Amino acid sequence: MIVHQSFIKSVYCINPNCPRPYPQPGDFKFCSSCGSMLRLNNRYVPLQHLGLGGFAAIYTVWDQQDQTEKVLKLLVEKSPKALQLFEQEAAVLQRLKHPGVPKVESDSYFTVSLGTCQQRLLPCLVMEKINGETLEAILNRYPQGCPETLIINWLYQAADILQELHDLGIIHRDIKPSNLMVREETGQLVAIDFGGAKQIGAIPLGKQNCSTRLISPGYSPPEQIAGDVVGPTADFYALGRTMIQLLTGQDLAELQDPATGEFHWRDRTKVRRGLANLLDSMIRLDPQKRPAKAADIQRRLVVNCRLSKKSSSSSFSLFQALTKAAGTAQEISVRVLITGAQVIFSLVRWLWRVFISIVLACLDTLGEMVMAGIGAVVGATTGFALINRTIVGDSFADWMIGQWILMVPEIQIIPWGELIMFACAGLGTAWGLTEAGGFGQQKRRLIAGITGIFGYGVGWFIWQASISYSPREQLAGLGDLWQVSLSYNSIADRLLGLVTAVAVIPLVLGLGLPSHYLVHAAVAASGTGMIFSGLVRLNILPLEVLVHIFSFSDVSWSDFINTISFFGLLGITIGFWLGVSYYLLVPVLRLLGWR
């Protein structure tokens, strides 16, 4: 502070009604004209008035604690909505920690009393000062449009900033050339003006019209203009329009046909096809047809828009143009190196995120498979013990035989006790999948348990009802008949595939998965049925073992091991196919627009 004391020759009064706000002597604590405080929050000294931005006045201030120059935004609008947006901007910036966003400390938002008879409180927000130019100012030096290489660089960096915002559930909602700056020291792109930022999902359904409409003509997407709920793709639309304006050097209104409303821009500039296709996809009217994530934009830039060797011949002329704009060739070289390093770092960080996502998906799926297998084994063991070590199985079988003959005498089902084992196995499998807690599911133990019992019970019943029409000794494989004829193998593998599929569908529907319930159920059912059908067809699961599992007539250790192995494998298979559906198929469907 002592070192800087001689620097502060004069300060600025921030009172909007002060008749003579500047200059004030640097050592004054109160304004000599209106009596307002000149030291804000006992830390910041206003040095210069930069202008007005929206509802706020902008000043440069000296931070006496950090000994650095910063920017102060002072809310001058008195409406409650303006205050809400101002506080929202402060909250958003405090959460963000990215080089492409102005740094804001946790205590940088405060209110200041003018200390006058008015007793008015002024909300203040202090943030990092970005030394550099906005893309709007840079465009003024390129009346024919900015070089394509700069556009690719800016687009990649802007996508990286938006990825950070969207990962935190924040939509900027006001991307345009005047809200994007380039740091003078490093060439890093910086997004500013977060007054219109919105939390994703903050607006409940049916209350869209209650949200604040923030519209920047030419840049805001149709859904934002209509006041509907907007998502991350709204930022991609605005960013695409911004980059098209920078490429062509023309106002967006000049690129739109006033008669048809169609947007034509490709014939106004020379642009490679990969970049043009990407920008056109970003500005589609349908939000679901735009890129789904900022990482998709970066990936397409890396794959389709990398500079080719043929462009090296024009590098010197481009280099001269950039040198003239920036100052010296040495400065340009440093900026290019730094920007290249930032692009590489962003790409590495994206690849690392993809790798971590794959590892987490594999671990989540593996956890579900293990817990489903354990739950199935525990359930099957419990059911096996009930029907072979207690009177529950025999009592239940006697009662069901008597009731069933009266209702459906043409279908003879004898081993009703085994239904208890299947029900216990279904309950254990459902609870195992639920307790694993993966795939974003709700832990609905009761509903999952009921649907697990129901599914496995129906599967067992379909098997028994089907084989009741065939000689049991044929399916049981007595003698050498099943070894000679493959017809029963074919019947059994198809039947088992059907049974497992039917058993899986209710179980999956009861798990409380976050979305696409029928897709998950269909994938898990068809995949599981296909695998078990293949096991029978390849004789890995012989018919003798299969028939004993569904209706064994004696009790032995081999029966017990075969039974718990069957149900354990069934649970593991269900967990595997749910992972395939949740992490592979459903994301592809979302990418194609199926929400």
Side-chain angles (χ1 to χ4, degrees):
M1 176 60 187
I2 298 176
V3 176
H4 191 65
Q5 190 70 36
S6 60
F7 173 76
I8 305 180
K9 299 296 185 181
S10 56
V11 298
Y12 210 104
C13 176
I14 65 171
N15 183 358
N17 299 319
C18 181
R20 187 174 175 271
Y22 185 84
Q24 303 288 333
D27 57 348
F28 275 28
K29 294 184 178 180
F30 298 94
C31 177
S32 59
S33 297
C34 67
S36 299
M37 295 181 61
L38 298 177
R39 296 293 187 272
L40 309 180
N41 209 28
N42 294 322
R43 177 175 176 178
Y44 304 105
V45 181
L47 301 178
Q48 183 182 5
H49 181 238
L50 299 179
L52 293 174
F55 300 139
I58 313 297
Y59 299 85
T60 57
V61 296
W62 182 258
D63 187 346
Q64 294 178 316
Q65 178 175 311
D66 294 346
Q67 295 291 294
T68 56
E69 195 171 311
K70 296 182 178 180
V71 170
L72 168 72
K73 291 187 70 172
L74 177 73
L75 182 64
V76 294
E77 174 68 33
K78 298 180 181 180
S79 68
K81 178 55 67 175
L83 177 60
Q84 177 186 350
L85 293 175
F86 195 73
E87 292 176 341
Q88 175 178 280
E89 179 178 13
V92 167
L93 289 173
Q94 287 170 357
R95 292 176 58 192
L96 296 173
K97 306 296 179 186
H98 189 278
V101 177
K103 295 179 181 177
V104 172
E105 300 174 5
S106 58
D107 59 348
S108 294
Y109 176 77
F110 53 90
T111 56
V112 173
S113 174
L114 295 177
T116 64
C117 59
Q118 300 175 356
Q119 293 299 318
R120 179 182 174 185
L121 293 177
L122 295 177
C124 299
L125 176 62
V126 177
M127 65 184 69
E128 174 191 11
K129 182 181 179 183
I130 308 298
N131 295 315
E133 294 180 292
T134 65
L135 297 190
E136 183 179 50
I138 294 176
L139 180 60
N140 293 332
R141 299 205 303 269
Y142 295 95
Q144 302 302 319
C146 298
E148 187 184 51
T149 51
L150 289 180
I151 300 300
I152 294 174
N153 182 13
W154 291 338
L155 180 55
Y156 191 96
Q157 293 191 62
D160 192 62
I161 296 171
L162 292 179
Q163 180 71 46
E164 183 74 15
L165 292 177
H166 298 164
D167 285 347
L168 294 174
I170 299 168
I171 310 172
H172 189 284
R173 293 205 308 164
D174 199 17
I175 297 293
K176 54 187 177 182
S178 60
N179 284 342
L180 294 171
M181 294 185 67
V182 177
R183 290 185 188 269
E184 189 176 66
E185 303 85 2
T186 63
Q188 167 74 46
L189 195 70
V190 181
I192 60 175
D193 195 355
F194 286 79
K198 206 73 174 177
Q199 190 76 26
I200 297 176
I203 307 174
L205 294 176
K207 297 185 178 181
Q208 292 93 330
N209 294 331
C210 298
S211 63
T212 303
R213 293 194 187 186
L214 177 66
I215 300 174
S216 293
Y219 306 101
S220 299
E223 66 270 21
Q224 187 170 331
I225 296 175
D228 296 334
V229 176
V230 298
T233 57
D235 285 341
F236 302 152
Y237 181 94
L239 180 59
R241 286 268 185 153
T242 294
M243 294 303 158
I244 289 174
Q245 182 181 7
L246 295 171
L247 264 175
T248 60
Q250 300 184 27
D251 291 336
L252 295 175
E254 299 176 1
L255 304 176
Q256 193 154 354
D257 190 325
T260 64
E262 296 182 357
F263 196 69
H264 303 284
W265 67 275
R266 290 201 187 202
D267 57 342
R268 308 297 180 92
T269 184
K270 292 183 178 179
V271 57
R272 68 188 69 189
R273 180 178 299 178
L275 178 59
N277 291 340
L278 172 59
L279 294 176
D280 278 338
S281 69
M282 294 172 64
I283 63 170
R284 287 173 179 164
L285 299 181
D286 187 351
Q288 295 184 354
K289 294 182 179 180
R290 301 170 198 157
K293 295 181 180 180
D296 296 336
I297 298 175
Q298 291 181 310
R299 177 184 54 79
R300 291 177 63 176
L301 284 173
V302 172
V303 173
N304 300 322
C305 301
R306 188 175 298 167
L307 290 176
S308 63
K309 295 182 179 179
K310 295 181 180 179
S311 64
S312 59
S313 59
S314 61
S315 298
F316 180 72
S317 59
L318 176 59
F319 178 79
Q320 284 183 321
L322 291 176
T323 301
K324 183 178 179 181
T328 65
Q330 182 178 6
E331 183 181 358
I332 289 296
S333 299
V334 173
R335 290 188 182 183
V336 170
L337 288 174
I338 293 176
T339 303
Q342 291 170 343
V343 171
I344 294 174
F345 175 76
S346 298
L347 178 59
V348 171
R349 186 170 64 172
W350 176 77
L351 291 174
W352 176 251
R353 287 178 178 175
V354 172
F355 173 74
I356 293 299
S357 299
I358 293 174
V359 171
L360 293 177
C362 292
L363 291 176
D364 191 23
T365 303
L366 181 61
E368 288 287 338
M369 293 169 63
V370 171
M371 289 299 294
I374 293 175
V377 168
V378 172
T381 302
T382 303
F384 196 95
L386 284 175
I387 63 176
N388 292 292
R389 296 292 183 264
T390 68
I391 62 172
V392 173
D394 292 337
S395 300
F396 178 76
D398 293 340
W399 182 79
M400 282 300 301
I401 290 174
Q403 300 299 319
W404 187 256
I405 291 176
L406 296 176
M407 293 186 295
V408 190
E410 60 273 13
I411 300 179
Q412 298 180 6
I413 298 178
I414 298 175
W416 282 101
E418 280 67 32
L419 177 59
I420 297 177
M421 182 179 65
F422 273 74
C424 291
L427 176 65
T429 305
W431 279 359
L433 290 168
T434 301
E435 290 305 318
F439 308 142
Q441 62 175 305
Q442 306 173 23
K443 288 194 174 183
R444 305 192 305 187
R445 296 177 181 86
L446 179 60
I447 298 178
I450 293 173
T451 55
I453 293 172
F454 175 77
Y456 274 47
V458 171
W460 176 87
F461 175 79
I462 291 176
W463 175 272
Q464 296 297 335
S466 300
I467 67 174
S468 66
Y469 290 104
S470 302
R472 186 172 300 275
E473 55 272 13
Q474 291 180 349
L475 286 175
L478 294 181
D480 295 327
L481 181 60
W482 71 277
Q483 296 176 342
V484 175
S485 176
L486 296 179
S487 61
Y488 296 109
N489 233 31
S490 178
I491 295 173
D493 66 38
R494 294 175 184 177
L495 178 58
L496 183 60
L498 173 63
V499 168
T500 52
V502 171
V504 168
I505 290 176
L507 187 151
V508 173
L509 293 177
L511 290 179
L513 296 168
S515 64
H516 298 79
Y517 317 105
L518 295 178
V519 175
H520 293 307
V523 172
S526 59
T528 304
M530 177 181 63
I531 287 180
F532 275 82
S533 177
L535 292 177
V536 175
R537 184 177 295 272
L538 297 173
N539 206 31
I540 298 175
L541 183 60
L543 290 179
E544 288 180 320
V545 173
L546 187 62
V547 172
H548 272 283
I549 291 173
F550 277 82
S551 54
F552 49 80
S553 57
D554 58 347
V555 180
S556 64
W557 279 107
S558 61
D559 288 329
F560 173 71
I561 293 176
N562 289 335
T563 299
I564 64 172
S565 299
F566 173 84
F567 286 111
L569 180 60
L570 181 58
I572 291 172
T573 307
I574 295 172
F576 170 78
W577 283 109
L578 282 175
V580 171
S581 176
Y582 184 80
Y583 287 109
L584 292 180
L585 181 59
V586 169
V588 171
L589 294 177
R590 289 197 179 104
L591 188 63
L592 296 176
W594 188 7
R595 296 290 184 262

